[in-house]
Amino acid sequence: MWRSLLLRGSTCFLQVGAPKFPHQRLLFSLRFTPKSYFKPAPAMFMVPLSLPAHLRICRTYKKDTKSSGEFPISPITVTDIKHYLRSKDINFHDGYSCLHIPSIFVDSALRKDSFSLFIDKTTGRFLCTDTLVEGSWEDLQDCLEVMQKDDQDALNPSVLLGYPESEEEQEERDRELKEVQRVWSSSVPLTDVTEEEAQLIKTMFQITKITNATLKKFGVRLFKPTKSLVFPWFGGPDCSLKGVKLISAQITDNDKVTYNEATVPRISTYYNLFGFSLVGRKDTEVVLTGSELDTLAVSQATGLPCVSLPRGVSCLPPILLPYLEQFKRVTLWLGADIRSWESSKIFSRKLGLRRCSLVRPGEFRPCPIEALAEGKNLSRIISTSIPAAHKSIVSFKQLREDVYGELLNKDQVAGVKWTRFPELNRILKGHRKGELTVFTGPTGSGKTTFISELALDLSMQGVNTLWGSFEINNVRLAKIMLTQFAMQRLEDNLEQYDYWADKFEELPLYFMTFHGQQNIKTVLDTMQHAVYLYDINHVIIDNLQFMMGQENLTVDKFAVQDHIIAAFRKFATNSSCHVTLIIHPRKEEDDRELQTASIFGSAKASQEADNVLILQEKKLVTCPGRRSLQVTKNRFDGDVGIFPLDFIKSSLTFSAPVKGKHKFKKPTKSETDDLPGPDAALKKDEVKKEKVSKTTKTKTATASENNQK
C-alpha cells in the first residue's frame, strides 16, 4: 500500500472522498454502511448488509491536508521528461504509457539491466516496482540532483518512504492491516467445506463451472459469517497479503443477481490487479476484465494470463499502469453492456491504442463468467476481438456491429437516468458521455443550485464528477450540495453532520480550486488531468463569463466566447466526457420568457451544444410553480419540452410537483417560436374568465332544475 496520494502536490482538485461506483453492483467499504439511496433486495441467503462487529471500523472526522494541491505552473510533458533524462545521461525505454529507467533505489550491483522505475508520460509520477517507492516528477528530480551532487550510484528507499504520518493515520493503517489478517484467517478454502455447501455457494455466485482447482490457484476463500467470497491482494516484492475484497450475492425482485462488495483497505487505496501475482515475468499477453469472477472464467477456459480491475469498469487508476507495461498485447473484456464497451475504449487510450484489442459486447459475446456458463468458446471470442486503433475513414461494415449494439441496448445508449427529475428523463432520455449541455436562466433564478442538484443526482449513481465553480467558492458549493444530499437544513441538526458528511465523502465528486477569472488553457489542462487520473465523466463549468476575462485573443468578446465554446466542444468529444456549461442570458424584460436566442453571445453556443436547457422564472409571480425547466434542443432524439419545478427552501432542492397539479407538455413549433407577450397573457385571462362564467351558469341551471322537481 503506497503512502502518498496519487499526484500529491501537483493536482488542482479537491476530492470529496473515496470514489464509489454503484453501477451494476452495490459497492460499499468496510468503513461505511451502505448508501441510504440503495434499497436492499430480498436474497435467497439473507446476507446482512451491516457487517459483523469485528469488520466494522469506526470513523473519526479528520481534515485531510493532502486532499488539495496546487496545479503546476507549467505542466510536465513527455518531451520535457526525455530531455531531462538525456541531460543526466540516464538510459530509458519508451513504453506504452510510461518511460522505463533503471531504478535509482536499487544497488547498482543488483540492478543489472532491470528497468524497474516507471515514469508516467502524462503526469510525471514515478513508481519503482522493486521497492514500491513512488512520488512526483519533482521528487524524482530532487533525488537525481542529490545523487549527482554526492556522486552516489543509488539512494536508500527510505528517502521517500519515510514521509511522517500523523498518529491517527498510523493507527488507521495498523487497524486496516489487522482487519486484513483477521478476515483472511477467519475464512476457509472452499475445499474445506462440505460438498453440499460448496455447491450452494457456487450456485449463489453463478460459478458452478469454476473448478475447485481454479479457486485454489487464485487463493479464493469463503467467509462463512456473511457467505462471502474472499479475494486476496498479494503484492510487493515479497508477494505478501496487502488486502482483501469480500463479495456477497443477492437476488433482486426481478430474479437478477447483484453483488455487494467490501474492501480492506478502503476502496480509495485498494489497488489490486487480481490475478497479477500469477503472471510470469516473460508473459507478453494479458486479458483485462471488470470483475474477479470474470478473471476466474477466462483463466480456466483459456489458460491466458488474466487480471481484473480493482474498481470494475468505472476507473483505471494510473498507479496501476506500470504493472501492465510488460504486455505487448492487452485484450479488454470488461463486460457485456454499453457502459463496459465505452470504458474499454477510454482505458485503451491510457494503455496505448496500438497494443489494445477490445471484445465487442453482443448477443454471442456476454461477459466471461456468463460465456463459460453457456458453454461458449472463450478463446475464440478473444481471438475475434477488434483492434482499439482505427483509421480515419471507415465503412459501414466496420460500423455495423456498433449500430446493432445501440439498437439492442437503447436504454443504456440513452445514458444514466436521473432519479430526482423523472420528467427530464422523458425529454432528454438520460445523461450521455461526450455531449455538451448549455444551461442558462435569469440572474438570481437558482441556476447554480439547480445544476448542483442535477450533478449530485448523477454522482450518487456513480458518475465521476468534476466541479469548476468560478462564481462561488467550493466551501459554499459543498454546503449547498450537502444540504441537498441530506434533504434538510443541517444548521438545525448539527448532531447529524458527521453522519451525512461521511456518506457524502463516498461520492465520486471533485472540485477545481480555481475561483474568479481563469485562463481557458489552464482550465482545460486541469480537466484533462482529471479525466486521466479519476476517469471523470461529467464536468460542470460555472460559468462561461468568468472564463473570458483572461483571454487576449482579440478585442471582440464574441470571438473570444466562440473560441472557448469550441474548446469545450472539442474536449467533450475527444475525452468522451459530458460538459455542462452555464452561460448567463442577455438582459430581457421581466414579463418575457427566455428562449434559445436569449443566450449571451453569438449563435455558436446553441449550435455547438447537444442540449440546451433554460431555467424559466416568472418574476412577477410569487406563487409555487413559478419556475420551470425548458429543453429547447435535444440532439439525441429531437424531443423538446417544459415542465414545472418547485423549490424547497429547507433542502435547497427542486422537485417536480405532484401529478395532477401540473400536466407535462411538449410545446409545438408555433409555441416555441412565439414569445408569450402581454397580449398573449390577456387572451389567457379572457379564456379563464369565460370558463368560470360557463361553470357558474351550469351550476345555476342545475340548481333551478332541482328546485322545480
Side-chain angles (χ1 to χ4, degrees):
M1 182 163 51
W2 297 278
R3 299 171 78 91
S4 59
L5 297 177
L6 189 62
L7 268 187
R8 179 179 55 189
S10 61
T11 56
C12 196
F13 318 116
L14 288 171
Q15 180 183 1
V16 167
K20 301 294 173 187
F21 310 99
H23 276 302
Q24 299 177 342
R25 306 176 181 88
L26 305 182
L27 306 184
F28 59 92
S29 168
L30 289 178
R31 289 160 48 88
F32 303 99
T33 56
K35 299 178 183 179
S36 59
Y37 42 84
F38 287 136
K39 296 182 179 179
M44 48 186 173
F45 290 92
M46 289 306 294
V47 181
L49 287 180
S50 57
L51 293 174
H54 69 279
L55 286 181
R56 290 197 297 266
I57 301 176
C58 299
R59 173 193 175 278
T60 56
Y61 172 76
K62 68 176 181 178
K63 186 174 181 180
D64 188 357
T65 56
K66 299 178 183 179
S67 63
S68 64
E70 296 180 358
F71 189 78
I73 298 175
S74 55
I76 192 68
T77 65
V78 65
T79 304
D80 297 332
I81 297 174
K82 290 180 179 179
H83 178 74
Y84 181 83
L85 294 176
R86 291 191 184 104
S87 68
K88 298 296 181 182
D89 293 326
I90 298 176
N91 295 329
F92 63 86
H93 292 166
D94 196 345
Y96 300 99
S97 56
C98 301
L99 297 177
H100 313 176
I101 67 172
S103 177
I104 61 174
F105 302 102
V106 177
D107 188 84
S108 57
L110 304 175
R111 193 181 303 164
K112 297 182 181 180
D113 296 329
S114 175
F115 286 71
S116 59
L117 194 147
F118 299 85
I119 306 173
D120 192 299
K121 292 182 180 180
T122 303
T123 64
R125 293 286 296 183
F126 75 90
L127 170 68
C128 173
T129 55
D130 287 337
T131 61
L132 296 186
V133 176
E134 56 107 6
S136 66
W137 171 243
E138 290 77 13
D139 292 336
L140 182 59
Q141 285 180 303
D142 291 341
C143 290
L144 292 174
E145 296 294 338
V146 170
M147 288 178 59
Q148 186 180 40
K149 181 179 179 181
D150 297 341
D151 195 21
Q152 298 179 0
D153 293 331
L155 288 178
N156 193 315
S158 61
V159 171
L160 288 180
L161 284 177
Y163 282 124
E165 288 184 331
S166 66
E167 182 178 349
E168 186 177 356
E169 288 175 330
Q170 186 61 46
E171 289 178 357
E172 182 179 351
R173 182 182 302 279
D174 295 340
R175 187 166 54 234
E176 288 179 339
L177 291 176
K178 289 180 181 179
E179 290 299 320
V180 170
Q181 294 297 333
R182 186 178 300 169
V183 172
W184 185 247
S185 60
S186 301
S187 57
V188 296
L190 266 70
T191 53
D192 291 356
V193 301
T194 63
E195 185 177 349
E196 181 181 359
E197 186 177 3
Q199 190 62 31
L200 204 55
I201 293 296
K202 289 185 177 182
T203 303
M204 285 175 58
F205 292 94
Q206 300 179 343
I207 57 173
T208 54
K209 294 294 184 70
I210 301 295
T211 64
N212 289 338
T214 301
L215 295 173
K216 183 178 180 180
K217 174 184 175 182
F218 282 86
V220 180
R221 293 188 177 187
L222 174 66
F223 186 69
K224 287 188 175 182
T226 56
K227 294 291 191 300
S228 303
L229 291 181
V230 180
F231 298 88
W233 172 16
F234 296 112
D238 55 352
C239 206
S240 60
L241 182 66
K242 300 176 69 64
V244 291
K245 175 183 284 190
L246 290 87
I247 301 182
S248 55
Q250 284 189 321
I251 188 167
T252 60
D253 294 331
N254 54 0
D255 295 331
K256 289 186 177 180
V257 176
T258 59
Y259 300 100
N260 301 317
E261 298 185 0
T263 65
V264 184
R266 61 187 184 277
I267 194 68
S268 61
T269 56
Y270 186 79
Y271 297 115
N272 178 24
L273 284 173
F274 178 72
F276 188 79
S277 59
L278 301 175
V279 175
R281 288 184 174 271
K282 296 183 179 181
D283 288 328
T284 59
E285 181 178 357
V286 70
V287 179
L288 201 60
T289 69
S291 75
E292 290 78 7
L293 299 180
D294 288 340
T295 293
L296 298 177
V298 172
S299 178
Q300 176 177 303
T302 67
L304 293 172
C306 185
V307 297
S308 62
L309 296 175
R311 307 178 193 177
V313 301
S314 297
C315 182
L316 172 56
I319 197 66
L320 298 178
L321 296 180
Y323 296 98
L324 300 172
E325 281 289 295
Q326 75 177 77
F327 305 109
K328 296 181 179 180
R329 175 182 169 87
V330 179
T331 302
L332 287 87
W333 192 355
L334 300 184
D337 57 6
I338 291 296
R339 183 167 177 268
S340 301
W341 176 243
E342 291 177 347
S343 297
S344 298
K345 292 188 286 187
I346 294 173
F347 294 167
S348 63
R349 298 174 190 170
K350 287 186 177 182
L351 295 166
L353 291 173
R354 62 186 181 186
R355 63 166 172 164
C356 291
S357 60
L358 316 177
V359 175
R360 190 197 306 271
E363 183 179 357
F364 302 104
R365 291 180 294 275
C367 65
I369 193 67
E370 293 180 2
L372 181 66
E374 296 173 6
K376 297 185 182 298
N377 190 327
L378 275 69
S379 297
R380 180 175 297 178
I381 293 176
I382 293 175
S383 64
T384 58
S385 59
I386 62 173
H390 57 81
K391 298 180 180 179
S392 300
I393 301 176
V394 295
S395 64
F396 178 73
K397 182 178 180 180
Q398 295 167 284
L399 300 174
R400 180 169 178 164
E401 288 296 324
D402 287 335
V403 174
Y404 178 74
E406 293 208 357
L407 295 174
L408 182 66
N409 304 282
K410 60 179 183 180
D411 290 337
Q412 295 180 19
V413 172
V416 180
K417 303 294 189 294
W418 289 275
T419 58
R420 299 192 180 198
F421 302 98
E423 299 291 359
L424 192 57
N425 293 328
R426 298 171 68 177
I427 307 175
L428 289 180
K429 306 303 183 292
H431 178 272
R432 293 166 291 275
K433 296 180 181 179
E435 291 190 349
L436 175 66
T437 295
V438 169
F439 178 65
T440 190
T443 301
S445 60
K447 294 188 295 297
T448 301
T449 305
F450 174 78
I451 282 295
S452 67
E453 185 180 9
L454 200 74
L456 176 65
D457 189 337
L458 297 170
S459 183
M460 290 168 64
Q461 300 179 68
V463 177
N464 301 338
T465 304
L466 175 66
W467 252 100
S469 177
F470 305 98
E471 191 165 343
I472 65 175
N473 62 53
N474 289 325
V475 174
R476 185 178 174 189
L477 177 61
K479 175 187 173 184
I480 293 173
M481 299 186 74
L482 182 60
T483 302
Q484 294 172 333
F485 182 71
M487 302 288 287
Q488 60 178 308
R489 287 177 59 87
L490 293 176
E491 297 94 324
D492 303 331
N493 302 279
L494 288 178
E495 68 281 357
Q496 299 183 24
Y497 175 77
D498 280 341
Y499 172 79
W500 289 109
D502 287 350
K503 289 183 172 293
F504 191 69
E505 281 185 5
E506 298 179 45
L507 301 179
L509 187 60
Y510 304 83
F511 299 90
M512 293 189 231
T513 57
F514 298 133
H515 186 64
Q517 296 178 347
Q518 296 295 331
N519 181 275
I520 179 62
K521 185 180 184 303
T522 304
V523 175
L524 287 174
D525 286 342
T526 304
M527 292 163 56
Q528 196 64 55
H529 272 260
V531 170
Y532 180 79
L533 291 172
Y534 308 115
D535 294 295
I536 295 297
N537 307 132
H538 186 201
V539 178
I540 303 101
I541 300 296
D542 183 16
N543 57 66
L544 176 68
Q545 276 76 1
F546 274 87
M547 305 295 304
M548 299 173 59
Q550 296 290 323
E551 301 301 321
N552 297 316
L553 298 179
T554 175
V555 293
D556 186 357
K557 60 182 179 180
F558 296 117
V560 174
Q561 178 174 325
D562 291 351
H563 164 72
I564 296 175
I565 292 173
F568 283 126
R569 167 76 270 176
K570 183 179 180 180
F571 171 84
T573 303
N574 294 343
S575 303
S576 189
C577 178
H578 193 112
V579 176
T580 298
L581 186 59
I582 301 177
I583 305 178
H584 285 305
R586 299 179 310 185
K587 182 65 177 177
E588 298 280 7
E589 298 294 334
D590 290 344
D591 58 350
R592 295 169 67 92
E593 291 187 351
L594 300 179
Q595 56 181 346
T596 303
S598 302
I599 299 174
F600 179 83
S602 66
K604 182 78 171 178
S606 58
Q607 291 172 354
E608 294 281 9
D610 297 286
N611 314 294
V612 176
L613 277 61
I614 302 177
L615 183 61
Q616 301 284 8
E617 181 185 30
K618 300 177 182 178
K619 294 186 177 180
L620 303 180
V621 178
T622 57
C623 64
R626 68 191 188 100
R627 293 185 180 91
S628 59
L629 185 68
Q630 183 176 8
V631 179
T632 60
K633 183 178 181 180
N634 175 11
R635 188 169 282 164
F636 180 71
D637 67 355
D639 285 351
V640 295
I642 185 172
F643 60 91
L645 297 170
D646 281 345
F647 179 66
I648 304 174
K649 190 173 182 179
S650 60
S651 60
L652 302 180
T653 57
F654 292 85
S655 61
V658 181
K659 291 184 178 180
K661 184 178 178 181
H662 298 282
K663 289 186 177 180
F664 174 84
K665 68 173 183 175
K666 293 182 179 178
T668 62
K669 184 177 180 182
S670 59
E671 290 176 338
T672 57
D673 291 342
D674 297 334
L675 284 173
D679 295 337
L682 291 174
K683 291 182 180 179
K684 289 182 180 179
D685 292 337
E686 292 175 1
V687 172
K688 288 182 180 179
K689 291 179 181 179
E690 290 179 3
K691 289 183 179 180
V692 171
S693 62
K694 288 182 180 179
T695 303
T696 305
K697 290 179 180 179
T698 303
K699 290 182 179 179
T700 305
T702 304
S704 61
E705 289 177 2
N706 293 335
N707 293 333
Q708 290 176 1
K709 290 180 180 180

